[in-house]
Amino acid sequence: MAISIEDFIDNLDKSCTKVQRKKFKKDEIITTYIAKRNQICILVSGSADLVRYDSNGNKTIIEHFTKNDIFGELFYVIVTNNELFVKARQASEVLFFAYDNLQHKCKQNCKFHQTFNENMAELILSKVTMLNTRVELLTKRTIRDKLIGYFSILSNRNFSTTFSLPFSLTDLADYLSIDRSAMMRELKYLKDDGFIKKVGNKITLLYK
């Protein structure tokens, strides 16, 4: 990707007055999604989850964010305020700014806005690709297919057949929208059938 988020984060304080930088403790709410606000956030450090609770109190982890990931209302159709919220999984630092502000530079030659405007289409395409990957996971018919599909994604991202899960097993079940007890049984079957090796939160794929 052409844009270097690290480059303009490093010079942000010198170049842009319309961006806020905030720190959050583990389990703090970073933001809630509000209709028509068009907020964009960049995770400078740490990790976080985009979470939704339904009317019955069931939790779904919609996305997991790590360093330099981008999130916010701009990437979702929001019809109900505060239904979605982003929660820090660990101590995190986040940049906040509004998409509307990208149309108006805060000062002449603002590198932050210039770089973002030049690469907005590519950023949105990257985000759409990420969301499509999640949709593909959720539409798999069996728990085994969802687990294997997700493990393959993590393996490809890490360029290794061995990787660490970014979630607890409870959160993994919430992320894949499956029953935790049924998922635990399927993980055992995957180990017994020689598909994976699991030590703590580390998974090794044995079928690649």
Side-chain angles (χ1 to χ4, degrees):
M1 191 165 68
I3 191 170
S4 173
I5 293 178
E6 279 128 343
D7 285 348
F8 67 70
I9 285 176
D10 288 342
N11 296 309
L12 184 59
D13 294 330
K14 302 175 184 176
S15 64
C16 184
T17 61
K18 292 187 176 181
V19 178
Q20 291 181 301
R21 181 192 294 252
K22 297 181 181 179
K23 294 183 178 181
F24 298 88
K25 297 178 182 178
K26 180 182 178 181
D27 294 329
E28 262 194 289
I29 301 301
I30 293 174
T31 188
T32 57
Y33 282 17
I34 298 174
K36 299 181 180 180
R37 183 171 59 177
N38 289 333
Q39 179 176 252
I40 301 176
C41 307
I42 301 176
L43 191 63
V44 179
S45 64
S47 63
D49 294 329
L50 176 60
V51 178
R52 172 191 279 127
Y53 284 95
D54 65 19
S55 57
N56 296 317
N58 298 312
K59 175 185 175 185
T60 300
I61 297 176
I62 298 174
E63 283 193 79
H64 177 66
F65 306 120
T66 55
K67 181 179 178 181
N68 291 342
D69 278 346
I70 297 176
F71 53 95
E73 295 97 346
L74 179 65
F75 305 105
Y76 291 86
V77 177
I78 307 300
V79 295
T80 304
N81 289 341
N82 303 323
E83 183 181 87
L84 298 169
F85 62 92
V86 180
K87 183 178 181 181
R89 292 189 65 87
Q90 62 189 102
S92 301
E93 189 170 7
V94 181
L95 302 181
F96 297 84
F97 54 102
Y99 176 71
D100 295 341
N101 286 341
L102 292 177
Q103 311 303 316
H104 310 285
K105 291 184 179 181
C106 56
K107 62 172 68 174
Q108 189 176 5
N109 298 323
C110 172
K111 295 295 184 183
F112 180 80
H113 287 84
Q114 179 182 343
T115 303
F116 227 98
N117 277 322
E118 290 173 353
N119 292 273
M120 180 55 67
E122 191 168 358
L123 286 170
I124 291 176
L125 178 60
S126 175
K127 192 69 176 180
V128 169
T129 301
M130 184 185 301
L131 292 174
N132 286 342
T133 298
R134 170 143 176 78
V135 169
E136 184 180 344
L137 278 178
L138 294 180
T139 54
K140 290 185 180 298
R141 294 184 177 275
T142 68
I143 293 174
R144 173 170 290 209
D145 287 344
K146 287 184 177 183
L147 287 169
I148 290 177
Y150 183 58
F151 293 161
S152 295
I153 289 170
L154 292 180
S155 175
N156 291 334
R157 285 179 184 171
N158 288 275
F159 303 102
S160 173
T161 55
T162 299
F163 49 85
S164 295
L165 294 174
F167 302 117
S168 67
L169 291 177
T170 297
D171 285 346
L172 177 59
D174 291 337
Y175 181 71
L176 296 176
S177 295
I178 53 181
D179 178 76
R180 185 183 185 280
S181 296
M183 184 191 74
M184 295 301 294
R185 287 195 297 271
E186 193 57 53
L187 282 172
K188 182 179 184 303
Y189 295 152
L190 285 171
K191 289 190 291 184
D192 292 346
D193 293 345
F195 281 89
I196 67 169
K197 176 181 177 182
K198 183 178 180 298
V199 180
N201 74 331
K202 285 194 174 182
I203 302 288
T204 298
L205 303 185
L206 303 177
Y207 60 87
K208 278 198 167 187

